């Protein structure tokens, strides 16, 4: 077999798997030896956009990846520092003739990629980058005038119409030069942080991701169209963190779900699987929005709503009460506590809690965005920003500002038996669930040790409408 390179580096980023990994597949095909490398970030203590749960998930993904590499005769090389400096050292040490990586859709990742390409050019070696994190990159799905879509429905139609790339294989064997040194696998100590011991997270790694997909396709996703809004039912795939860290590829998820959709017996099951596939298009819509409009990380997507006046987070302890699940709105508190306990929150409840923060407490969506990023194991910059701006009414194809969900009626619609609320708010275990669907009277709390609602929804709704209207007219 003839190779193009004697040694190449595969730079792992958010693609922590061996199967169907485009850059790794090509690196292993074209190179006699491969240095599979992950570069740890250097921050310590506190990070605006991640937290102990997600870092622990990352550590577990890396441990699993290292095992998988060993099983095919290779080793994971861990380095720490700025990606450019670490790669430069490694290129020189290993005498690598090429660097392979999968492209990252977020602006920070793309900035680093440009520098890596310049580095390779300056060192006179090849640099190969691939589409892998998404099925269609932002520039592949454009409207008739060649511009990015700002609305989901036409985007998704175009997205579905495009031919889908096939799934690649899994390298059978990779040789890695024995003299290349590696740091030990990271732990939370690497960043000087500790995990709350009560956090119960999903398991990490490529096998766990494959099992989650298989489980989802064998049951929950067959009823997804009807059940996906029921937060007490295990009705979704739970693949968010896997897609975030690339322990499974979006191509694999798409083709497996499509295959099941082709084989199922009822129209309802087919519809369910199609509804699920639409979520993959939402993921790529938000990645395209972030790719084309990176300013959404700082300001409102819709220019009309920039510089809205939000309240101070300290006012009445509002932000703390929301974060800790002590608002006195059972569905909101259940969601916020699910997030703290598991690093996950059901999609419907993400919308309710986000709308509550912005429309009932009048707090800046960026506060909530950062809190979610610190706690969600599936924290994904593009989806999170999209979800927050949607809920705040400021984003791409967002809920219009005057459509304000009422947490009490949302409870009646999506958790009418109170199963979800009772699971996460034990103080309410003995309360009649019908009482979760309307505000309690001031002298009649839902339980002795549960707070009265911190605000009156109708009053705050009117205030939101006023704030947006005044801003619009100004
Ligand atoms: C305020 C808010 C914040 C959010 N933050 C994130 C986030 O940080 N990371 C994240 O992956 N999703 C986020 N979402 C979208 C959605 O809530 C999660 O993707 C979903 O709950 C994850 O559970 P699942 O993997 O079981 O999803 P499933 O329902 O099984 O969907 C499969 C996959 O499709 C994608 N997806 C599903 N719904 C959406 C959506 N509305 N927008 C974009 N992609 C979607 C995800 O990758 C998800 O894993 C957010 C939504 C809101 C309203």
């Amino acid at each position: 077999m003839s190779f193009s390179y004697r040694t190449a580096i595969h730079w792992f980023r958010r693609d922590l798997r061996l199967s169907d990994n485009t850059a790794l597949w090509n690196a292993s095909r074209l190179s006699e030896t491969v240095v599979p490398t992950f570069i740890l970030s250097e921050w310590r203590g506190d990070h605006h956009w991640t937290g102990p749960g997600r870092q622990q998930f990352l550590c577990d993904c890396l441990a699993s990846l290292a095992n998988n590499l060993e099983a095919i005769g290779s080793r994971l090389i861990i380095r720490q520092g700025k990606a450019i400096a670490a790669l430069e050292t490694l290129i020189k040490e290993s005498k690598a003739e090429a660097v392979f990586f999968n492209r990252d859709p977020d602006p920070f990742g793309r900035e680093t990629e440009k520098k890596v390409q310049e580095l390779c050019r300056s060192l006179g070696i090849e640099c190969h980058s691939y589409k892998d994190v998404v099925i269609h990159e932002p520039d592949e799905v454009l409207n008739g005038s060649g511009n990015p879509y700002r609305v989901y429905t036409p985007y998704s139609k175009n997205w579905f119409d495009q031919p889908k790339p096939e799934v690649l294989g899994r390298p059978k064997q990779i040789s890695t030069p024995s003299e290349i040194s590696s740091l030990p696998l990271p732990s939370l100590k690497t960043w000087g942080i500790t995990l709350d011991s009560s956090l119960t997270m999903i398991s990490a790694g490529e096998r766990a991701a494959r099992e989650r997909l298989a489980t989802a396709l064998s049951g929950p996703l067959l009823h997804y169209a009807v059940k996906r809004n029921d937060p007490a039912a295990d009705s979704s795939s739970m693949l968010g963190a896997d897609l975030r860290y690339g322990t499974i590829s979006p191509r694999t998820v798409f083709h497996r779900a499509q295959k099941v959709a082709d084989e199922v017996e009822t129209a309802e099951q087919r519809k369910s699987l199609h509804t699920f596939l639409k979520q993959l298009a939402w993921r790529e819509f938000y990645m395209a929005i972030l790719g084309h409009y990176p300013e959404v990380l700082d300001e409102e997507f819709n220019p009309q709503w920039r510089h809205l006046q939000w309240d101070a987070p300290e006012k009445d302890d509002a932000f703390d009460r929301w974060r800790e699940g002590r608002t006195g709105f059972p569905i909101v508190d259940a969601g916020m506590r699910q997030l703290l306990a598991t690093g996950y929150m059901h999609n419907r409840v993400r919308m309710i809690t986000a709308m509550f923060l912005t429309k009932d407490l009048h707090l800046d969506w960026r506060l909530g965005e950062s809190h979610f990023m610190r706690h969600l194991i599936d924290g994904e910059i593009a989806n999170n920003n999209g979800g927050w701006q949607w809920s705040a009414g400021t984003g791409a194809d967002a809920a219009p500002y005057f459509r304000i969900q009422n947490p009490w009626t949302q409870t009646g619609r999506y958790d009418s038996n109170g199963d979800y609320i009772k699971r996460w708010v034990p103080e309410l275990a003995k309360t009649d669930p019908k009482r979760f669907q309307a505000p309690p009277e001031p002298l009649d709390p839902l339980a002795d040790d549960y707070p009265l609602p911190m605000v009156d929804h109708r009053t705050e709704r009117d205030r939101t409408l006023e704030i947006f209207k005044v801003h619009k007219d100004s």
Side-chain angles (χ1 to χ4, degrees), residues 224 236-240 243 276 279-280 282-283 286 344-345 347 350-351 354 372 376 378-380 383-384 387-388 391:
Y224 188 76
S236 67
S237 70
M238 300 297 289
L239 285 169
L243 289 165
F276 170 72
Q279 310 312 310
L280 299 182
W282 266 110
R283 173 178 180 267
Y286 282 142
Y344 180 81
M345 193 196 296
N347 177 55
R350 291 187 205 201
M351 292 187 224
F372 271 29
L376 282 173
D378 65 29
E380 171 78 74
N383 295 353
N384 193 46
W388 272 95
S391 308

Side-chain angles (χ1 to χ4, degrees), residues 337-411:
R337 294 189 200 183
Q338 181 184 25
L339 176 63
L340 296 183
T342 65
Y344 180 81
M345 193 196 296
H346 186 276
N347 177 55
R348 171 56 53 189
V349 191
R350 291 187 205 201
M351 292 187 224
I352 296 173
T353 55
M355 238 189 224
F356 184 81
L357 186 80
T358 51
K359 306 283 176 61
D360 286 81
L361 301 182
H362 319 290
L363 295 182
D364 192 335
W365 56 268
R366 281 161 278 243
L367 290 168
E369 180 192 30
S370 166
H371 179 71
F372 271 29
M373 283 307 284
R374 285 164 184 242
H375 289 277
L376 282 173
I377 309 297
D378 65 29
E380 171 78 74
I381 294 178
N383 295 353
N384 193 46
N385 180 275
W388 272 95
Q389 293 226 35
W390 184 92
S391 308
T394 61
D397 207 6
Y401 76 92
F402 47 82
R403 197 172 299 150
I404 299 174
Q405 291 169 348
N406 177 331
W408 304 108
T409 34
Q410 291 278 305
T411 306

